[in-house]
Amino acid sequence: MQQAILLAKEAATKGDVPVGAMVVDESGNVVGQGANLREQNNDPTAHAEIVAIRDAAKNIGNYRLDDLTMVVTLEPCVMCTGAIVQAKLKRLVFSTFNIKQGAVGSIHDLIRDSRNIKSIEVISGVLENESTELVKHFFASQRTQEG
């Protein structure tokens, strides 16, 4: 998670919401990684999770990310949760809940929907305070710049 937090900090320096994500194997080796690139790429789909999934799929040569784990600093939104399900990841580990757009327990719980073909293990709260502070600081600085 500490590596994902570094990626999140990098996103913030480029004017984007500080979210970092990695796809790792059972040994903890990074297979793919990403940070929010929405602002930089003018791409509404360039969330950290999507960037990391694309990177991992390219690196392993397969869209099926079976037996791999997504590690991300913020609870995924609906779009990213759908991508996690479609990639067939084994596990999702996230840091802090996304009370405005979360789709893994905050607002929706798409990962644990019984209609999903595959069950995905979910672990939350890893380094939660650090990720929460990053997001709070980012939005506080945005309000200061606007106002």
Side-chain angles (χ1 to χ4, degrees), residues 47-107:
H47 289 205
E49 299 94 327
I50 303 294
V51 174
I53 287 170
R54 287 177 178 159
D55 190 39
K58 178 180 154 199
N59 289 336
I60 67 168
N62 195 335
Y63 81 93
R64 296 176 70 96
L65 304 181
D66 298 311
D67 299 323
L68 298 176
T69 298
M70 165 73 65
V71 177
V72 63
T73 58
L74 184 66
E75 175 189 6
C77 69
V78 170
M79 175 182 69
C80 294
T81 300
I84 289 165
V85 169
Q86 291 299 313
K88 303 179 185 332
L89 284 153
K90 178 179 183 176
R91 182 179 302 110
L92 168 66
V93 178
F94 69 91
S95 188
T96 190
F97 283 93
N98 181 348
I99 59 171
K100 300 214 180 221
Q101 296 182 345
V104 188
S106 288
I107 297 174

